[in-house]
Amino acid sequence: KALAPPQPGSEGRRFRSLRRHHSMFLLRTGALAAVVLGLSFSPSTNAIAPLRATLAPASALSAAPLAPLRGGASMKRALSHENLSNEVQGDNDTLEQRIYAKDEENEHRSLWHDLPLFEVDIKTDKPTGFVNFVCEIPKFTRKKFEIATKEPMNPIKQDEKKGQLRTFKKGDIYFNYGCFPRTWEDPDFVHPDVGVGGDNDPLDVCEIGLRQIQTCQVRPVKVLGVLCMIDEGEADWKVIAIDKEDPWAAILNDIDDVQRLLPGTLETVREWFRTYKVPDGKPENTFALGEKFMDRAFTLSVMHETHRAWARLVKGTIEKQEEDAKDSKDQKPASKKFTMKRNLSVPAMDAMKQVEGSLLEDEARLTEAMNKAAIG
């Protein structure tokens, strides 16, 4: 409640005393709310903000000064969404802005290569069975953010075309959009049911839960199904998933559950992808497999293939590094930290050797999930 203006004499002193008590009450209330909600509180501004950068929208993060990247050789264990933070370099709405992931040791990490495909419990260091989803574009927004697959440490940036930042002219997207780490849609692999090769990117994911997930935030999700869009002659798979903490997650176990319990959701996703390029003067996109959303078991087979394709991509690059090192006159390890295959940036040789153990776990957990889906 607003206080009346001060009066002369004792009434003025009484007002100043009440105002001091009122200010202290606001400070204590703000601090208490921050503790309860897991937020930070600034007494100077009465401002409450998220403690973790991963929970703040990219547009709200202050741009850090350009700094050299740190990471790679010092990697010690698998990443988890619970020990990641963000660093923004460059100003908002510029071609130069990049959003980097950082671990608990303040090292830059690649959300494409360093983050395991399956979520890992940081207390037990064991997979939980859920899959790590990297959000690039939050639902109800239209800036086209994406992982920079051609840059070291693979930050997230806003896509551009002919020097202009890209947004969806169709309007805001209706779901959280991103990708799975350690997957790659190989242009040389032609799926027998589709007839065309992949689009040279990580496997895309549409998260259909209630919460808005922010750019560069990682969330564990449950896999439900997949749609295959044909984009300019390339297979562009769209996995349907839901955040493991979403209220609907407990009762959505396969794509038929989504159709039955959330009617219209899948049609909305498909129509979005069918028409989102039309405002740019392009024709509607088409879909393989009779425009059908395939079930969880089929989706896991797609994930398995794209995960193995990613492993082949990385392994092939590492073998090339080793060959270059042997061919060099001084027989020293290759000095180039990142090599390019298909114009993609992949981990350096020393960095990749640090995560070989978690690669085996990714493969084992994916095989286990596929077997369970086939039995179910």
Side-chain angles (χ1 to χ4, degrees):
K1 183 178 180 179
L3 297 176
Q7 301 297 322
S10 61
E11 289 299 318
R13 288 192 296 273
R14 180 175 177 272
F15 169 80
R16 288 190 293 272
S17 176
L18 285 172
R19 186 170 60 183
R20 282 195 297 272
H21 285 294
H22 187 248
S23 298
M24 288 303 296
F25 172 77
L26 290 177
L27 288 173
R28 290 169 181 168
T29 303
L32 178 60
V35 171
V36 172
L37 298 176
L39 306 171
S40 62
F41 177 69
S42 172
S44 61
T45 62
N46 286 350
I48 296 177
L51 281 173
R52 293 172 58 84
T54 51
L55 300 181
S59 60
L61 294 172
S62 59
L66 295 179
L69 301 182
R70 300 172 61 241
S74 65
M75 294 191 299
K76 294 181 176 62
R77 65 174 190 157
L79 288 184
S80 166
H81 67 96
E82 297 183 54
N83 57 24
L84 282 174
S85 61
N86 294 340
E87 177 184 280
V88 181
Q89 294 193 7
D91 295 327
N92 292 332
D93 301 317
T94 65
L95 294 170
E96 295 74 27
Q97 187 184 66
R98 299 292 185 273
I99 309 173
Y100 290 91
K102 301 183 78 174
D103 62 19
E104 57 193 354
E105 297 180 358
N106 210 35
E107 297 283 347
H108 293 90
R109 305 293 290 271
S110 166
L111 290 177
W112 185 21
H113 299 306
D114 297 338
L115 185 67
L117 178 58
F118 281 84
E119 180 198 23
V120 175
D121 188 319
I122 61 174
K123 295 179 181 178
T124 64
D125 208 29
K126 299 293 183 180
T128 65
F130 294 96
V131 185
N132 280 317
F133 162 65
V134 179
C135 187
E136 297 165 313
I137 308 173
K139 65 190 301 184
F140 310 136
T141 69
R142 63 184 68 183
K143 292 181 181 179
K144 195 177 183 302
F145 284 104
E146 63 181 15
I147 286 182
T149 57
K150 302 176 184 179
E151 299 181 15
M153 294 299 172
N154 310 115
I156 290 181
K157 67 173 184 178
Q158 189 171 351
D159 191 21
E160 58 93 11
K161 186 173 183 180
K162 297 181 180 179
Q164 299 296 315
L165 294 173
R166 292 187 63 189
T167 60
F168 292 125
K169 292 182 180 179
K170 176 182 173 72
D172 294 347
I173 199 166
Y174 308 141
F175 40 86
N176 296 300
Y177 188 62
C179 65
F180 283 149
R182 295 185 178 176
T183 60
W184 178 53
E185 296 191 48
D186 186 354
D188 289 338
F189 175 76
V190 178
H191 194 284
D193 296 329
V194 175
V196 295
D199 68 351
N200 201 35
D201 281 325
L203 185 59
D204 292 333
V205 182
C206 307
E207 194 282 322
I208 60 172
L210 298 178
R211 81 165 71 188
Q212 184 189 59
I213 304 174
Q214 302 304 329
T215 299
C216 207
Q217 186 177 356
V218 177
R219 291 293 308 160
V221 298
K222 178 190 286 187
V223 173
L224 300 172
V226 70
L227 175 71
C228 185
M229 184 177 79
I230 304 300
D231 187 1
E232 299 181 3
E234 297 174 331
D236 191 1
W237 297 93
K238 309 296 183 184
V239 174
I240 305 300
I242 190 164
D243 191 306
K244 77 171 186 179
E245 295 181 356
D246 191 271
W248 285 97
I251 56 176
L252 296 179
N253 297 303
D254 213 322
I255 202 67
D256 288 342
D257 296 329
V258 181
Q259 192 70 271
R260 177 171 54 88
L261 298 173
L262 300 175
T265 299
L266 299 180
E267 289 77 7
T268 298
V269 172
R270 184 169 50 218
E271 291 311 304
W272 165 267
F273 286 114
R274 189 192 305 278
T275 62
Y276 82 97
K277 289 186 176 182
V278 172
D280 294 314
K282 295 184 177 181
E284 293 183 350
N285 286 318
T286 59
F287 303 91
L289 304 168
E291 301 194 354
K292 182 181 178 181
F293 284 86
M294 307 305 288
D295 64 14
R296 173 180 166 83
F298 187 96
T299 307
L300 290 170
S301 70
V302 173
M303 291 172 59
H304 189 244
E305 172 53 41
T306 56
H307 178 60
R308 295 183 69 177
W310 170 84
R312 291 194 300 269
L313 169 70
V314 172
K315 182 180 178 182
T317 304
I318 290 175
E319 289 175 349
K320 182 65 166 61
Q321 283 183 304
E322 291 173 340
E323 290 175 4
D324 291 345
K326 290 177 181 178
D327 293 340
S328 63
K329 294 181 180 179
D330 56 6
Q331 296 296 307
K332 292 181 180 179
S335 59
K336 191 174 182 181
K337 294 295 291 181
F338 287 85
T339 60
M340 308 294 278
K341 181 179 180 181
R342 297 189 181 280
N343 206 25
L344 301 174
S345 177
V346 300
M349 191 164 40
D350 56 350
M352 201 60 231
K353 290 178 179 178
Q354 298 289 333
V355 295
E356 287 177 351
S358 58
L359 282 178
L360 295 175
E361 284 193 346
D362 277 345
E363 181 76 11
R365 294 297 172 178
L366 189 49
T367 302
E368 179 183 352
M370 290 174 64
N371 291 336
K372 287 183 179 178
I375 294 172

